[in-house]
Amino acid sequence: MITIVDYGMGNLGSIHNMFKRIGAAAVITGDLEQVARAEKILLPGVGAFDNAMLRIDESGLREVLDQKALVERVPVLGICLGMQLLTRSSEEGSRPGLGWVAAQTRRFPALPGLKVPHMGWNLVEVTRDSPLTGGLAGEVRFYFVHSYYVCVDDEKDQILTAHYGLDFTAALQHDNIYGAQFHPEKSHRFGMQLLKNFASL
């Protein structure tokens, strides 16, 4: 069972429907006791970094999520803003992130001809083997909508990269912690494959 954490921000219904399509059991909840029993956790997110972290901290979810991710070491997947929350901090705000991955979230630079947010389909490159990237071969593309990107301290944590003005981390893995900057629920067969991989961990 995959627990999709509801802290008030994210494409919860779309993600849940995608898990239904691939035959993976999933539940949406913000209940602390239910999250504490989770076998796998998906951390969604659409919106602003500080607002998301404020909701997580004030709801009591922070302590529960730390226990699940860092002590029990259940598989966790953060998507879009959810991936950025895995980092220490973001240039978008001033609140600390979850800090589960040695990384910082930065804003795309103001470059000539570069529209921010980065929106639409983009090719990705598999940079190392990971359980999350199994079955992704050839021209792999995902759907992105973001103004900020994750910059990892250690490139070994990168599993997918993409280019938009600069090379950036499209997906990461650090031990049991996974992140995807794109929207797998909007990425058709590629997104389905990635979510199948997560469901089978």
Side-chain angles (χ1 to χ4, degrees), residues 152-198:
V152 294
D153 291 4
D154 188 343
E155 288 188 358
K156 291 178 182 176
D157 288 336
Q158 290 184 146
I159 57 176
L160 295 174
T161 59
H163 185 84
Y164 191 70
L166 47 75
D167 292 333
F168 68 90
T169 303
L172 61 81
Q173 179 192 355
H174 181 78
D175 298 329
N176 58 306
I177 310 297
Y178 300 84
Q181 181 58 68
F182 43 81
H183 285 275
E185 77 280 8
K186 296 180 180 178
S187 299
H188 305 317
R189 63 187 178 92
F190 301 110
M192 290 176 71
Q193 182 63 56
L194 185 134
L195 292 178
K196 279 181 184 177
N197 293 341
F198 180 68

Side-chain angles (χ1 to χ4, degrees), residues 87-186:
T87 68
R88 292 184 300 263
S89 61
S90 173
E91 290 181 348
E92 185 179 16
S94 58
R95 296 186 71 89
L98 292 168
W100 298 343
V101 178
Q104 184 182 10
T105 300
R106 296 178 177 167
R107 183 172 174 82
F108 278 112
L111 297 175
L114 192 72
K115 293 182 179 179
V116 179
H118 170 216
M119 183 181 300
W121 291 89
N122 201 340
L123 291 170
V124 301
E125 180 180 350
V126 179
T127 55
R128 74 169 175 89
D129 289 336
S130 164
L132 204 62
T133 60
L136 297 178
E139 283 205 347
V140 180
R141 60 186 69 232
F142 288 97
Y143 189 84
F144 293 81
V145 182
H146 61 127
S147 300
Y148 296 80
Y149 67 95
V150 168
C151 183
V152 294
D153 291 4
D154 188 343
E155 288 188 358
K156 291 178 182 176
D157 288 336
Q158 290 184 146
I159 57 176
L160 295 174
T161 59
H163 185 84
Y164 191 70
L166 47 75
D167 292 333
F168 68 90
T169 303
L172 61 81
Q173 179 192 355
H174 181 78
D175 298 329
N176 58 306
I177 310 297
Y178 300 84
Q181 181 58 68
F182 43 81
H183 285 275
E185 77 280 8
K186 296 180 180 178

Side-chain angles (χ1 to χ4, degrees), residues 7 9 46-57 80-99 103-105 148 150:
Y7 60 94
M9 298 172 69
V46 176
F49 188 95
D50 273 11
N51 192 22
M53 283 309 307
L54 181 64
R55 287 170 181 249
I56 288 171
D57 288 339
C80 197
L81 175 61
M83 169 167 154
Q84 297 172 9
L85 300 179
L86 305 176
T87 68
R88 292 184 300 263
S89 61
S90 173
E91 290 181 348
E92 185 179 16
S94 58
R95 296 186 71 89
L98 292 168
Q104 184 182 10
T105 300
Y148 296 80
V150 168

